[in-house]
């Protein structure tokens, strides 16, 4: 979250406003992990008016100190109240009276002689403001129908950043997208950046990474954010967190400004959750007849149909909700026919059961006609623009399956859609067919469609057998000491001893993993700096454990920055590792001028405004996310570490802290042992 602070500067009317910021405001912001500044920072950049207006608009939070009658402060406060309806906090000392127009507003009163005494109160106020999302602008309080400016439409991400997201999306590099998500935190366009990343993560089906990104948007900005909650509803459902998914959908439906298509999407998500619960109820049952009977009386069958049907009612063009409503109703009708005794037993009179079933069949026919019309409308619209709506074509094939009496017609419909099989997810598209087969409803049509899918798989390029997710070993550790190091930490003469300490930990982990009920292969991942990194890769190779070498920059620059040492043959050992035929080497930064750039310049241009952030911190995150992406729940970090802060940002202590924050296992090798007398 970013803050913009509106206040007088220097000492005025006996109040040291600079001290108020350093003693009161800054500590409170630090406690809540909120970043930002004042117009004083903008002044050094030039064009203060443009930047000031922009910050008053896009800042997530504005703190305005109205202690004295300062024209600039009240002007900027008025601009903020006009542009944004919430997230503005007023503070003041008791040095002056509050202007009449602000007397009804709530504000924090502080002691200007001892501002630090009110830190706790300010933290509480800021936290409550962030949590409540209460409208605090008097303009929007008096004019509730006035729509505030949509900041997400005005906060534009740099083109270079968008290009990086696009490249990661095209190469299915989910780990790099997670890195970008961490990169943009605290930047002025943070929210827009997160949205760009979150959409790409959804496209890659990286639901774990997407959850972090979209939850960040919701928690930092607006818990009722429609886009964030829509995506989180899908993410939670895919991660089998149905309660949270339904809570996200409820937040979407709370938004009074929802339009037809948005409502249709929300109700379709609600229907999908109910269908998942319905399937989960009868899937474990062995007998097909028992599965059918359980499915027929399940309340989730009606709940799923009702939600999908409501979505289609909200927007008759929304064929996705329509075809799913048709599928649920068709299953319902067929189950009632197959288990007629159970269906009849649910009614007081047999005639009532027959009447209800006939009513459902009539509605089934009407719904099928409406769905076909919605699909045709979408197809015609795309035809006019020379494009194709593959999902409408797939929905049409699904509708044919539910309405045709001829399996060959069904097979033909699916074959025509699957001429480009790489456009669809086979698992997702066959999931509904497996429901029909498992319940024994529409068995011939479902089998014909499934055969079309199997035939289409033959058109796809051959894929290697999917590998089992490994147990990932990450490594971080000290480099060997340079000649100018004032106190020893890892002398070069101790390299053999360190090597054996590393080997002991690796062998212990290897044995533990092999002794599991379901053993996994091991995979090592680390940089290749002189000292611990290189020793780790060498030991892994000797023990038959493959590794990936992740470098911050091209080899020659990496050697100058992280390998060259005053003692030892580390450069030769580095080259042996990275030039080996079987070596897997990846680079974070391919800038040919890396070696001549400062630590800040080595970052992408769009990232250089982020203070106190280095290429080495970024590389640590990249290695960590790469490991987590390969094996989300089975990662161990081995650290050759003396337990102290390093010589600069991005060192061993930084990697340990970030790994612990993500919940991965951590094993420390105390490097102080290297300094003990033998």
């Amino acid at each position: 979250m970013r803050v913009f602070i509106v206040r007088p500067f220097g000492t005025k009317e006996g109040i040291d406003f600079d001290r108020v910021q350093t003693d009161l405001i800054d500590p409170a912001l630090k406690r809540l992990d909120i970043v930002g500044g004042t117009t004083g920072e903008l002044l050094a950049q030039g064009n203060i008016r443009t930047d000031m207006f922009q910050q008053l608009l896009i800042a997530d939070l504005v703190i305005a100190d109205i202690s004295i009658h300062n024209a600039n402060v009240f002007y900027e406060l008025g601009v903020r109240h006009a542009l944004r309806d919430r997230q503005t906090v007023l503070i003041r000392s008791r040095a002056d009276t509050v202007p009449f127009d602000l007397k009804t507003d709530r504000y924090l009163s502080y002691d200007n002689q001892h501002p630090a005494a009110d830190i706790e109160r300010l933290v509480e106020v800021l936290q409550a403001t962030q949590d409540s999302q209460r409208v605090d602008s008097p303009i929007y309080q008096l004019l509730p129908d006035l729509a505030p400016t949509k900041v997400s439409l005005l906060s534009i991400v740099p083109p270079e950043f968008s290009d990086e997201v696009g490249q990661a999306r095209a190469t299915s590099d989910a780990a790099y997208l997670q890195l970008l998500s961490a990169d943009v935190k605290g930047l002025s366009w943070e929210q827009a950046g997160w949205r760009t990343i979150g959409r790409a993560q959804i496209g890659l089906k990286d639901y774990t990474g997407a959850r972090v990104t979209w939850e960040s948007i919701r928690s930092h900005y607006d818990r009722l954010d429609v886009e964030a909650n829509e995506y989180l509803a899908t993410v939670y459902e895919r991660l089998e967190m149905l309660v949270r998914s339904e809570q996200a959908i409820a937040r979407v439906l709370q938004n009074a400004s929802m339009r037809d298509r948005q409502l249709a999407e929300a109700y379709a998500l609600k229907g999908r959750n109910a269908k998942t619960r319905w399937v989960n109820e009868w899937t474990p049952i062995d007998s097909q007849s028992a599965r059918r009977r359980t499915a027929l009386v399940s309340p989730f069958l009606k709940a799923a149909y009702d939600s999908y049907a409501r979505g289609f009612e909200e927007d008759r063009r929304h064929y996705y909700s329509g075809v799913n409503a048709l599928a649920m109703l068709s299953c319902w009708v067929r189950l009632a026919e197959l288990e007629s005794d159970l269906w009849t037993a649910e009614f007081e009179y047999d005639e009532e059961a027959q009447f209800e079933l006939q009513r459902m069949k009539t509605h089934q026919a009407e719904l099928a006609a409406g769905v076909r019309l919605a699909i045709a409308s979408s197809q015609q619209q795309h035809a006019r623009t020379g494009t194709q709506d593959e999902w409408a074509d797939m929905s049409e094939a699904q509708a044919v399956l539910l309405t045709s009496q001829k399996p060959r017609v069904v097979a033909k419909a699916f074959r025509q859609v699957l001429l480009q099989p790489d456009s669809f997810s086979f698992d997702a598209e066959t999931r509904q067919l497996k429901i029909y087969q498992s319940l024994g409803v529409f068995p011939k049509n479902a089998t014909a469609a499934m055969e079309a899918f199997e035939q289409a798989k033959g058109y796809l390029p051959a894929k290697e057998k999917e590998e089992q997710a490994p147990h990932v070993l990450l490594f971080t550790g000290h480099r060997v000491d340079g000649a100018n190091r004032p106190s020893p930490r890892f002398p070069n003469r101790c390299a053999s001893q360190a090597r054996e300490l590393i080997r002991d930990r690796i062998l212990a982990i290897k044995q533990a993993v092999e002794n599991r009920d379901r053993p996994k292969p091991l995979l090592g991942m680390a940089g290749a700096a002189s000292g611990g990194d290189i020793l780790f890769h060498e030991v892994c190779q000797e023990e038959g454990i493959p590794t990936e070498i992740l470098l911050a920059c091209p080899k020659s620059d990496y050697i100058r920055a992280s390998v060259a040492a005053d003692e030892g043959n580390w450069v030769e050992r580095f080259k042996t590792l990275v030039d080996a035929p079987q070596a897997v080497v990846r680079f974070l930064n391919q800038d040919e001028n890396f070696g001549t750039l400062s630590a800040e310049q080595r970052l992408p241009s769009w990232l250089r405004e982020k203070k106190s952030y280095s290429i080495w911190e970024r590389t640590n995150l990249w290695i960590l996310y790469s490991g987590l992406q390969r094996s989300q729940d089975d990662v161990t970090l081995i650290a050759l570490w003396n337990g102290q802060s390093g010589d600069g940002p991005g060192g061993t202590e930084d990697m340990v802290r970030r790994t612990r924050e993500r919940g991965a296992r951590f094993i420390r090798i105390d490097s102080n042992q290297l300094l003990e007398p033998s």
Side-chain angles (χ1 to χ4, degrees), residues 103-123:
K103 282 186 178 293
T104 59
D105 292 347
R106 292 189 296 177
Y107 48 81
L108 173 77
S109 180
Y110 65 83
D111 182 351
N112 67 74
Q113 298 301 314
H114 306 284
D118 293 299
I119 292 175
E120 293 295 334
R121 292 179 57 229
L122 182 55
V123 168

Side-chain angles (χ1 to χ4, degrees), residues 559-669:
I559 289 173
R560 285 195 296 271
S562 299
V563 181
D566 297 313
E567 299 180 71
N569 59 340
W570 296 103
V571 172
E572 290 77 9
R573 293 163 78 169
F574 170 85
K575 291 180 178 179
T576 299
L577 284 174
V578 300
D579 293 337
Q582 75 277 12
V584 178
V585 185
R586 293 194 283 132
F587 301 94
L588 175 61
N589 188 322
Q590 286 284 13
D591 192 334
E592 296 179 356
N593 298 315
F594 183 92
T596 65
L597 301 176
S598 68
E600 293 76 20
Q601 290 174 324
R602 293 168 187 168
L603 296 171
S605 58
W606 54 265
L607 190 50
R608 291 173 195 165
E609 70 174 85
K610 191 169 184 176
K611 299 178 180 178
S612 304
Y613 191 52
S614 74
I615 184 65
W616 309 115
E617 289 176 274
R618 193 168 190 248
T619 303
N620 276 349
L621 282 172
W622 177 51
I623 294 173
L624 175 58
Y625 291 142
S626 296
L628 291 171
Q629 191 62 38
R630 293 296 296 273
S631 188
Q632 191 67 37
D633 300 320
D634 213 359
V635 175
T636 299
L637 173 70
I638 301 174
L640 179 66
W641 181 38
N642 62 8
Q644 300 176 14
S645 299
D647 299 328
T652 301
E653 186 245 356
D654 173 71
M655 184 65 164
V656 170
R657 175 177 59 82
R658 294 182 184 279
T659 302
R660 283 173 162 171
E661 289 174 352
R662 292 302 298 263
R665 285 179 290 273
F666 162 62
I667 295 176
R668 177 189 169 199
I669 302 173

